[in-house]
Amino acid sequence: MGDLTGKTALVTGASRGIGRATAERLAADGALVAVHYGSDAAAAGEVVARIEKAGGQAFTVGATLGVAGDIDTLFTGLEAGLDEHGAGGAGLGILVNNAGVMGGVAPEDTTPALFDELVAVNAKAPFFIIQRALRIMPDGGRVINISSGLTRFANPNEIAYAMTKGAVEMLALHYAKYLGPRGITVNSVAPGVTRNGNPVFDVPEAVEQMAALSAFHRIGEPGDIADVVAFLASDEARWITGAFLDATGGTLAG
Ligand code: NAP
Protein backbone atom coordinates (compact mmCIF):
# COMPACT_ATOMS: atom_id res chain seq x y z
CA MET A 1 0.00 0.00 0.00
CA GLY A 2 0.85 3.61 -0.37
CA ASP A 3 3.59 4.28 -2.83
CA LEU A 4 4.45 7.84 -1.90
CA THR A 5 7.58 8.04 -4.02
CA GLY A 6 8.00 11.55 -5.35
CA LYS A 7 5.62 13.00 -2.72
CA THR A 8 6.51 15.39 0.06
CA ALA A 9 5.06 15.43 3.58
CA LEU A 10 5.12 17.65 6.64
CA VAL A 11 4.36 16.01 9.99
CA THR A 12 4.09 18.47 12.85
CA GLY A 13 5.22 17.28 16.27
CA ALA A 14 7.28 14.49 14.75
CA SER A 15 10.09 14.51 17.31
CA ARG A 16 8.31 11.78 19.33
CA GLY A 17 5.15 9.76 19.83
CA ILE A 18 2.54 9.44 17.10
CA GLY A 19 4.21 12.10 14.97
CA ARG A 20 7.54 10.27 14.92
CA ALA A 21 5.90 6.98 13.95
CA THR A 22 3.94 8.77 11.23
CA ALA A 23 7.03 10.46 9.83
CA GLU A 24 8.85 7.13 9.75
CA ARG A 25 5.93 5.37 8.08
CA LEU A 26 5.42 8.03 5.39
CA ALA A 27 9.16 7.99 4.67
CA ALA A 28 9.10 4.18 4.44
CA ASP A 29 6.34 4.58 1.87
CA GLY A 30 8.68 6.78 -0.16
CA ALA A 31 7.83 10.37 0.77
CA LEU A 32 10.40 13.05 1.52
CA VAL A 33 9.35 13.98 5.07
CA ALA A 34 9.75 17.24 6.96
CA VAL A 35 10.11 16.22 10.62
CA HIS A 36 8.79 19.17 12.58
CA TYR A 37 9.64 19.75 16.25
CA GLY A 38 8.90 22.42 18.82
CA SER A 39 11.77 22.34 21.29
CA ASP A 40 13.59 19.03 20.92
CA ALA A 41 15.88 19.45 17.91
CA ALA A 42 18.03 16.51 18.97
CA ALA A 43 15.06 14.12 19.04
CA ALA A 44 13.92 15.31 15.62
CA GLY A 45 17.46 14.82 14.33
CA GLU A 46 17.37 11.24 15.59
CA VAL A 47 14.12 10.64 13.71
CA VAL A 48 15.74 11.89 10.51
CA ALA A 49 18.78 9.69 11.14
CA ARG A 50 16.53 6.61 11.61
CA ILE A 51 14.66 7.41 8.41
CA GLU A 52 17.88 7.85 6.44
CA LYS A 53 19.34 4.66 7.90
CA ALA A 54 16.25 2.83 6.65
CA GLY A 55 16.84 4.27 3.16
CA GLY A 56 14.35 7.13 3.34
CA GLN A 57 14.62 10.89 2.98
CA ALA A 58 13.82 13.48 5.65
CA PHE A 59 14.91 16.76 7.20
CA THR A 60 14.08 18.64 10.40
CA VAL A 61 12.09 21.84 10.72
CA GLY A 62 11.90 23.67 14.05
CA ALA A 63 9.08 26.04 14.97
CA THR A 64 7.32 26.69 18.25
CA LEU A 65 3.62 26.70 17.44
CA GLY A 66 1.08 28.91 19.15
CA VAL A 67 3.33 31.98 19.22
CA ALA A 68 3.56 35.05 16.99
CA GLY A 69 5.29 34.31 13.70
CA ASP A 70 4.99 30.53 14.08
CA ILE A 71 3.58 29.88 10.62
CA ASP A 72 6.27 31.95 8.89
CA THR A 73 9.02 30.18 10.83
CA LEU A 74 7.55 26.77 9.98
CA PHE A 75 7.14 27.41 6.27
CA THR A 76 10.48 29.19 5.88
CA GLY A 77 12.15 26.07 7.26
CA LEU A 78 9.93 23.74 5.27
CA GLU A 79 10.53 25.45 1.96
CA ALA A 80 14.29 25.67 2.57
CA GLY A 81 14.38 21.94 3.32
CA LEU A 82 12.36 21.07 0.24
CA ASP A 83 14.67 23.22 -1.90
CA GLU A 84 17.77 21.59 -0.40
CA HIS A 85 16.38 18.20 -1.35
CA GLY A 86 15.50 19.31 -4.86
CA ALA A 87 11.79 19.10 -4.13
CA GLY A 88 10.89 22.78 -4.08
CA GLY A 89 8.90 22.39 -7.26
CA ALA A 90 6.83 19.55 -5.83
CA GLY A 91 5.28 21.75 -3.14
CA LEU A 92 3.71 20.01 -0.13
CA GLY A 93 1.64 16.96 -1.01
CA ILE A 94 0.79 15.68 2.47
CA LEU A 95 0.19 17.69 5.62
CA VAL A 96 -0.26 15.94 8.97
CA ASN A 97 -1.32 18.32 11.74
CA ASN A 98 -0.22 16.21 14.69
CA ALA A 99 1.53 18.52 17.20
CA GLY A 100 -0.57 18.99 20.28
CA VAL A 101 -0.62 19.57 24.01
CA MET A 102 -2.92 18.05 26.61
CA GLY A 103 -4.45 19.69 29.66
CA GLY A 104 -4.68 17.03 32.35
CA VAL A 105 -6.22 19.28 35.00
CA ALA A 106 -9.61 19.42 36.68
CA PRO A 107 -12.12 21.89 35.22
CA GLU A 108 -11.84 24.18 38.25
CA ASP A 109 -8.05 24.33 37.87
CA THR A 110 -8.03 25.19 34.17
CA THR A 111 -6.56 28.68 33.97
CA PRO A 112 -7.16 31.15 31.14
CA ALA A 113 -3.47 30.87 30.28
CA LEU A 114 -3.67 27.08 29.89
CA PHE A 115 -6.89 27.39 27.90
CA ASP A 116 -5.25 29.92 25.57
CA GLU A 117 -2.21 27.66 25.06
CA LEU A 118 -4.38 24.65 24.23
CA VAL A 119 -6.38 26.64 21.70
CA ALA A 120 -3.29 28.27 20.18
CA VAL A 121 -1.35 25.03 19.65
CA ASN A 122 -4.13 22.52 19.01
CA ALA A 123 -6.67 24.55 17.04
CA LYS A 124 -5.36 27.91 15.83
CA ALA A 125 -2.02 26.61 14.55
CA PRO A 126 -3.55 23.81 12.42
CA PHE A 127 -5.99 26.28 10.86
CA PHE A 128 -3.23 28.67 9.79
CA ILE A 129 -0.86 25.85 8.81
CA ILE A 130 -3.50 24.59 6.38
CA GLN A 131 -4.16 28.10 5.11
CA ARG A 132 -0.46 28.58 4.36
CA ALA A 133 0.10 25.02 3.08
CA LEU A 134 -2.63 25.40 0.46
CA ARG A 135 -0.45 27.93 -1.35
CA ILE A 136 2.04 25.17 -2.17
CA MET A 137 -0.16 22.05 -2.13
CA PRO A 138 -0.75 20.45 -5.53
CA ASP A 139 -4.13 19.09 -6.61
CA GLY A 140 -4.71 15.63 -5.14
CA GLY A 141 -3.02 16.63 -1.86
CA ARG A 142 -3.79 15.27 1.58
CA VAL A 143 -4.54 17.02 4.88
CA ILE A 144 -4.83 14.81 7.96
CA ASN A 145 -5.57 16.33 11.34
CA ILE A 146 -5.00 14.37 14.52
CA SER A 147 -7.99 14.73 16.81
CA SER A 148 -8.80 12.54 19.82
CA GLY A 149 -11.34 9.99 21.00
CA LEU A 150 -12.08 12.55 23.72
CA THR A 151 -14.45 14.32 21.32
CA ARG A 152 -16.69 11.26 21.87
CA PHE A 153 -15.53 9.86 25.24
CA ALA A 154 -15.77 11.92 28.45
CA ASN A 155 -12.76 12.84 30.59
CA PRO A 156 -13.48 15.83 32.85
CA ASN A 157 -9.75 16.54 33.23
CA GLU A 158 -9.52 17.27 29.52
CA ILE A 159 -12.53 19.50 28.82
CA ALA A 160 -10.55 22.37 27.32
CA TYR A 161 -8.32 19.96 25.36
CA ALA A 162 -11.36 18.13 23.99
CA MET A 163 -12.85 21.49 22.97
CA THR A 164 -9.77 22.17 20.86
CA LYS A 165 -10.04 18.75 19.22
CA GLY A 166 -13.71 19.38 18.48
CA ALA A 167 -12.57 22.55 16.73
CA VAL A 168 -9.94 20.67 14.72
CA GLU A 169 -12.56 18.22 13.48
CA MET A 170 -14.42 21.11 11.86
CA LEU A 171 -11.47 21.59 9.54
CA ALA A 172 -12.22 18.27 7.83
CA LEU A 173 -15.94 18.90 7.44
CA HIS A 174 -15.72 22.33 5.89
CA TYR A 175 -12.40 22.14 4.07
CA ALA A 176 -13.43 18.84 2.45
CA LYS A 177 -16.18 20.69 0.60
CA TYR A 178 -13.95 23.63 -0.26
CA LEU A 179 -11.02 21.57 -1.53
CA GLY A 180 -12.92 18.74 -3.23
CA PRO A 181 -12.69 20.41 -6.65
CA ARG A 182 -8.90 20.24 -6.33
CA GLY A 183 -8.97 16.56 -5.33
CA ILE A 184 -7.49 17.45 -1.94
CA THR A 185 -8.88 15.32 0.89
CA VAL A 186 -9.16 16.54 4.48
CA ASN A 187 -9.82 14.06 7.27
CA SER A 188 -9.59 13.65 11.04
CA VAL A 189 -7.96 10.70 12.79
CA ALA A 190 -8.92 10.16 16.42
CA PRO A 191 -6.48 8.09 18.52
CA GLY A 192 -7.44 6.63 21.87
CA VAL A 193 -4.87 6.10 24.60
CA THR A 194 -1.59 5.72 22.72
CA ARG A 195 1.84 5.05 24.16
CA ASN A 196 4.13 8.05 23.95
CA GLY A 197 7.10 9.08 26.06
CA ASN A 198 4.90 9.94 29.05
CA PRO A 199 6.12 8.22 32.26
CA VAL A 200 2.57 7.00 32.95
CA PHE A 201 3.18 4.30 30.34
CA ASP A 202 5.92 2.86 32.59
CA VAL A 203 3.39 2.16 35.38
CA PRO A 204 1.92 -1.34 34.81
CA GLU A 205 -1.27 -0.69 36.84
CA ALA A 206 -1.97 2.49 34.89
CA VAL A 207 -1.35 0.74 31.58
CA GLU A 208 -3.72 -2.05 32.63
CA GLN A 209 -6.47 0.45 33.40
CA MET A 210 -5.96 2.28 30.12
CA ALA A 211 -5.84 -0.98 28.17
CA ALA A 212 -9.24 -1.94 29.57
CA LEU A 213 -10.77 0.98 27.65
CA SER A 214 -10.02 -0.70 24.32
CA ALA A 215 -12.02 -3.55 22.80
CA PHE A 216 -8.63 -5.18 22.16
CA HIS A 217 -7.55 -4.88 25.83
CA ARG A 218 -4.31 -3.13 25.05
CA ILE A 219 -3.15 0.44 24.70
CA GLY A 220 -2.47 1.86 21.27
CA GLU A 221 1.04 2.00 19.88
CA PRO A 222 2.17 5.01 17.79
CA GLY A 223 2.41 2.69 14.78
CA ASP A 224 -1.30 1.84 15.09
CA ILE A 225 -2.08 5.48 14.34
CA ALA A 226 0.70 5.98 11.80
CA ASP A 227 -0.73 3.15 9.67
CA VAL A 228 -4.15 4.84 9.58
CA VAL A 229 -2.57 8.16 8.61
CA ALA A 230 -0.52 6.44 5.90
CA PHE A 231 -3.68 4.93 4.45
CA LEU A 232 -5.36 8.35 4.30
CA ALA A 233 -2.22 9.76 2.68
CA SER A 234 -2.25 7.08 -0.01
CA ASP A 235 -4.03 7.04 -3.34
CA GLU A 236 -6.24 4.22 -2.02
CA ALA A 237 -8.00 6.77 0.22
CA ARG A 238 -8.80 9.21 -2.61
CA TRP A 239 -12.58 8.75 -2.10
CA ILE A 240 -12.53 9.57 1.63
CA THR A 241 -12.83 13.20 2.65
CA GLY A 242 -14.47 15.09 5.49
CA ALA A 243 -14.33 11.93 7.57
CA PHE A 244 -13.72 11.18 11.23
CA LEU A 245 -11.68 8.00 11.54
CA ASP A 246 -12.03 6.28 14.89
CA ALA A 247 -8.54 4.95 15.66
CA THR A 248 -9.22 4.27 19.33
CA GLY A 249 -8.99 0.49 19.21
CA GLY A 250 -12.70 0.20 19.84
CA THR A 251 -12.75 2.49 22.89
CA LEU A 252 -15.71 4.38 21.42
CA ALA A 253 -17.66 1.15 21.11
CA GLY A 254 -18.28 1.58 24.85
P1 NAP B 1 3.68 13.80 22.34
O1 NAP B 1 4.42 12.51 22.45
O2 NAP B 1 3.33 14.54 23.56
O3 NAP B 1 4.50 14.76 21.34
C1 NAP B 1 3.98 16.01 21.04
C2 NAP B 1 4.70 16.55 19.84
O4 NAP B 1 4.15 17.85 19.54
C3 NAP B 1 6.17 16.72 20.05
O5 NAP B 1 6.85 16.44 18.86
C4 NAP B 1 6.31 18.20 20.40
O6 NAP B 1 7.54 18.75 19.98
C5 NAP B 1 5.19 18.81 19.60
N1 NAP B 1 4.68 20.02 20.21
C6 NAP B 1 3.96 20.13 21.36
N2 NAP B 1 3.69 21.43 21.62
C7 NAP B 1 4.28 22.14 20.61
C8 NAP B 1 4.37 23.52 20.32
N3 NAP B 1 3.82 24.47 21.12
N4 NAP B 1 5.04 23.90 19.23
C9 NAP B 1 5.61 22.97 18.41
N5 NAP B 1 5.56 21.66 18.64
C10 NAP B 1 4.90 21.25 19.73
O7 NAP B 1 2.34 13.63 21.51
P2 NAP B 1 1.47 12.32 21.17
O8 NAP B 1 0.98 11.75 22.45
O9 NAP B 1 2.20 11.49 20.21
O10 NAP B 1 0.22 13.02 20.47
C11 NAP B 1 0.25 13.43 19.12
C12 NAP B 1 -1.13 13.95 18.75
O11 NAP B 1 -2.10 12.92 19.02
C13 NAP B 1 -1.57 15.17 19.55
O12 NAP B 1 -2.32 16.02 18.73
C14 NAP B 1 -2.45 14.57 20.63
O13 NAP B 1 -3.40 15.49 21.10
C15 NAP B 1 -3.10 13.43 19.87
N6 NAP B 1 -3.58 12.34 20.73
C16 NAP B 1 -2.71 11.63 21.50
C17 NAP B 1 -3.19 10.59 22.29
C18 NAP B 1 -2.29 9.76 23.16
O14 NAP B 1 -2.80 8.97 23.98
N7 NAP B 1 -0.98 9.83 23.02
C19 NAP B 1 -4.56 10.31 22.30
C20 NAP B 1 -5.41 11.05 21.50
C21 NAP B 1 -4.91 12.07 20.70
P3 NAP B 1 8.80 19.00 20.98
O15 NAP B 1 8.82 17.88 21.96
O16 NAP B 1 9.97 19.03 20.06
O17 NAP B 1 8.55 20.33 21.61
Side-chain angles (χ1 to χ4, degrees):
M1 185 188 73
D3 183 5
L4 301 180
T5 306
K7 308 264 187 200
T8 59
L10 166 63
V11 182
T12 66
S15 53
R16 51 196 164 90
I18 293 167
R20 175 171 72 180
T22 300
E24 291 182 1
R25 172 63 206 264
L26 296 180
D29 284 354
L32 165 63
V33 180
V35 174
H36 163 262
Y37 65 91
S39 56
D40 200 341
E46 283 169 25
V47 177
V48 169
R50 283 161 60 105
I51 288 172
E52 289 177 343
K53 197 173 169 203
Q57 277 192 296
F59 59 89
T60 62
V61 182
T64 301
L65 300 175
V67 299
D70 54 357
I71 308 300
D72 281 345
T73 306
L74 176 64
F75 279 83
T76 299
L78 171 70
E79 288 173 342
L82 292 175
D83 283 343
E84 271 171 32
H85 286 77
L92 179 66
I94 300 160
L95 166 63
V96 184
N97 273 313
N98 166 80
V101 279
M102 293 192 77
V105 292
E108 53 273 27
D109 296 328
T110 302
T111 61
L114 174 60
F115 187 93
D116 286 348
E117 185 196 357
L118 289 166
V119 171
V121 178
N122 296 358
K124 185 177 177 184
F127 176 88
F128 285 102
I129 291 171
I130 294 173
Q131 184 191 66
R132 179 67 179 78
L134 288 174
R135 285 199 224 160
I136 57 169
M137 184 170 284
D139 289 0
R142 297 283 187 267
V143 179
I144 298 145
N145 302 309
I146 305 302
S147 180
S148 165
L150 293 181
T151 59
R152 311 281 197 283
F153 182 92
N155 176 346
N157 285 346
E158 294 291 358
I159 294 177
Y161 168 81
M163 286 174 70
T164 68
K165 293 301 189 180
V168 154
E169 286 176 19
M170 291 303 101
L171 292 167
L173 176 66
H174 299 280
Y175 259 128
K177 190 85 174 168
Y178 185 60
L179 296 174
R182 290 179 55 190
I184 296 174
T185 69
V186 189
N187 293 293
S188 308
V189 172
V193 176
T194 309
R195 189 191 305 277
N196 57 17
N198 193 303
V200 74
F201 292 103
D202 297 329
V203 182
E205 300 77 29
V207 171
E208 199 178 318
Q209 279 180 14
M210 293 185 283
L213 297 172
S214 160
F216 300 122
H217 299 295
R218 69 167 175 84
I219 58 168
E221 298 296 334
D224 292 324
I225 311 305
D227 287 352
V228 176
V229 174
F231 167 64
L232 287 173
S234 75
D235 183 58
E236 282 88 340
R238 63 193 170 277
W239 202 236
I240 300 174
T241 194
F244 167 89
L245 264 85
D246 172 352
T248 66
T251 298
L252 302 184

